[in-house]
Amino acid sequence: MVALEESFCRTVLPRVSRTFALNIPLLPEPLDLAVTVAYLLCRIADTLEDEARLPFQEALFEELASLVELKPGWEGRAQAFARRAGAALRASAPEAEVELVAGTSTVLKTLASLPSWVHPHVARCVRIMTDGMNQIQRRYGGDGPVVGLPDLQASFAYCYCVAGVVGEMLTGLFIAYSPLVTPPRQALLEPRATAFGRALQLTNILKDVREDLDRGTCWLPLDRMGAYGLEPATLALPSHRARAMALHSELVEVARRELDEALEYSLAIPPEEPGLRLFCLYPLFFAVLTLNVVEGNPAVFDPTPVKLGRDAVRTLMLLTQERVASDSALRALYVDCSQAAQGVEAVR
């Protein structure tokens, strides 16, 4: 019988993530539940970053990281944390994320029930993520939201603390779970783990640039904006659209180079572990097609989000499944996806 805690985690996952609800179920047990719990804890941190009022954010980050270490007495502290965090969220916070924060204790109970090899990887990830979010906020936001980062290096540093470290965590979990991830495979995975997470985050930033601006934040490099005569306040103005698109295209190329590394990361996973491979390949190929949709598309700066169509997602999942055991077939699919947006529709 599935524990109530586990049931909550599996039920709330698709409500807070469209992509990871597709690929996490492909992982073998107990890795699927371990990654579900890890994702939900990272999503709680992300919700605090996006939705918690600033006077309370820093203390909540520190408390969450401490709770994930599962030190004695965490159960009572988790319930108190959930109450404080819920009270700190803005009234506009998405309902599913409010429910997730309220269920922090339930997620942690599920983490505690998992094998001991899971715990240190998840705790390290959440600690680095929350510390990094705090540092970015203090350094570049102060008492207000972060509105642009100084340069691409700072944007990369942000991407590391919110996503690159997730790539490191996943690599640790894959190695701990599967004897097929041998030392030679590990030597290929570990140097690319950060790029895998960073590539997905860069893609999201470029896709969600207008949504972030409307929320009063921006994660793009200020020096590159300045090179085009732009700043966050003018980035979405119709009169500046040509310059904004030139900047956006430059950063899309940066993201594509990161995705090249993410492909090598995914192919370093042994084909005898198809679930692990597909877990990585789905979001990788979704990111490639997302860049195709947003590159050169002025609608990326309009209020209505630009997204992949459901048919394109389903088709790409089938194509990836058919080729999962063949490195050469996957490389060919990657090239095809990178060079053309055929079959991809933007949903407005």
Side-chain angles (χ1 to χ4, degrees):
M1 185 172 67
V2 177
L4 290 177
E5 291 84 2
E6 178 181 338
S7 178
F8 170 82
C9 292
R10 295 192 186 279
T11 301
V12 79
L13 175 66
R15 298 186 59 210
V16 296
S17 174
R18 177 184 175 190
T19 298
F20 283 92
L22 294 174
N23 68 340
I24 287 178
L26 300 170
L27 293 170
E29 296 180 353
L31 198 56
D32 63 331
L33 185 58
V35 176
T36 295
V37 169
Y39 175 83
L40 293 177
L41 291 168
C42 292
R43 190 56 185 261
I44 291 169
D46 189 57
T47 298
L48 295 178
E49 181 188 47
D50 290 344
E51 305 295 345
R53 295 190 295 279
L54 286 175
F56 309 101
Q57 198 179 74
E58 184 170 350
L60 290 170
F61 279 148
E62 170 57 35
E63 194 168 357
L64 176 63
S66 176
L67 285 168
V68 177
E69 294 169 355
L70 299 178
K71 295 176 181 177
W74 66 264
E75 294 95 333
R77 291 190 294 113
Q79 294 174 356
F81 165 85
R83 290 193 295 271
R84 285 193 293 272
L89 297 180
R90 299 183 183 91
S92 58
E95 180 182 350
E97 294 181 25
V98 173
E99 180 184 349
L100 174 59
V101 170
T104 300
S105 179
T106 302
V107 179
L108 289 170
K109 287 179 183 176
T110 311
L111 174 64
S113 74
L114 287 164
S116 60
W117 53 264
V118 172
H119 301 165
H121 299 291
V122 178
R124 176 185 181 272
C125 177
V126 175
R127 169 61 67 184
I128 292 175
M129 179 178 290
T130 53
D131 284 353
M133 287 174 170
N134 263 336
Q135 291 170 14
I136 293 286
Q137 178 60 45
R138 285 197 299 264
R139 184 175 301 174
Y140 304 120
D143 295 330
V146 176
V147 188
L149 294 165
D151 49 34
L152 191 58
Q153 184 178 359
S155 292
F156 269 33
Y158 172 72
C159 288
Y160 170 73
C161 74
V162 298
V165 69
V166 176
E168 293 175 342
M169 175 192 68
L170 291 170
T171 304
L173 291 174
F174 294 165
I175 292 170
Y177 166 78
S178 176
L180 297 176
V181 185
T182 57
R185 295 273 181 181
Q186 295 171 27
L188 296 172
L189 284 168
E190 289 174 337
R192 297 180 171 92
T194 325
F196 176 77
R198 192 167 58 211
L200 303 182
Q201 184 65 26
L202 280 171
T203 300
N204 284 336
I205 287 172
L206 293 168
K207 172 178 67 74
D208 298 334
V209 59
R210 177 58 189 264
E211 182 180 341
D212 287 339
L213 288 169
D214 288 346
R215 285 212 321 258
T217 62
C218 180
W219 305 107
L220 301 184
L222 292 166
D223 65 338
R224 299 314 307 150
M225 282 189 243
Y228 291 91
L230 296 166
E231 56 186 31
T234 61
L235 195 55
L237 293 178
S239 58
H240 292 66
R241 192 56 46 91
R243 280 180 279 168
M245 289 311 304
L247 166 69
H248 194 266
S249 294
E250 176 187 319
L251 296 175
V252 164
E253 288 308 307
V254 174
R256 288 195 188 280
R257 290 194 293 270
E258 292 293 295
L259 286 172
D260 290 344
E261 283 294 297
L263 174 67
E264 298 307 318
Y265 175 89
S266 302
L267 296 183
I269 295 172
E272 296 82 5
E273 290 283 11
L276 275 64
R277 271 199 163 195
L278 287 172
F279 170 84
C280 296
L281 290 166
Y282 276 9
L284 167 63
F285 282 115
F286 295 161
V288 172
L289 293 192
T290 296
L291 291 182
N292 288 347
V293 170
V294 301
E295 185 173 18
N297 184 355
V300 76
F301 288 103
D302 290 342
T304 304
V306 175
K307 298 181 180 179
L308 290 181
R310 293 182 183 274
D311 289 345
V313 169
R314 282 193 291 266
T315 299
L316 186 54
M317 288 168 62
L318 290 173
L319 291 172
T320 309
Q321 289 169 20
E322 292 168 0
R323 293 157 174 77
V324 66
S326 170
D327 287 7
S328 59
L330 288 168
R331 289 187 189 280
L333 179 61
Y334 181 80
V335 171
D336 288 346
C337 289
S338 299
Q339 293 179 346
Q342 293 180 354
V344 180
E345 58 175 316
V347 178
R348 297 298 311 281

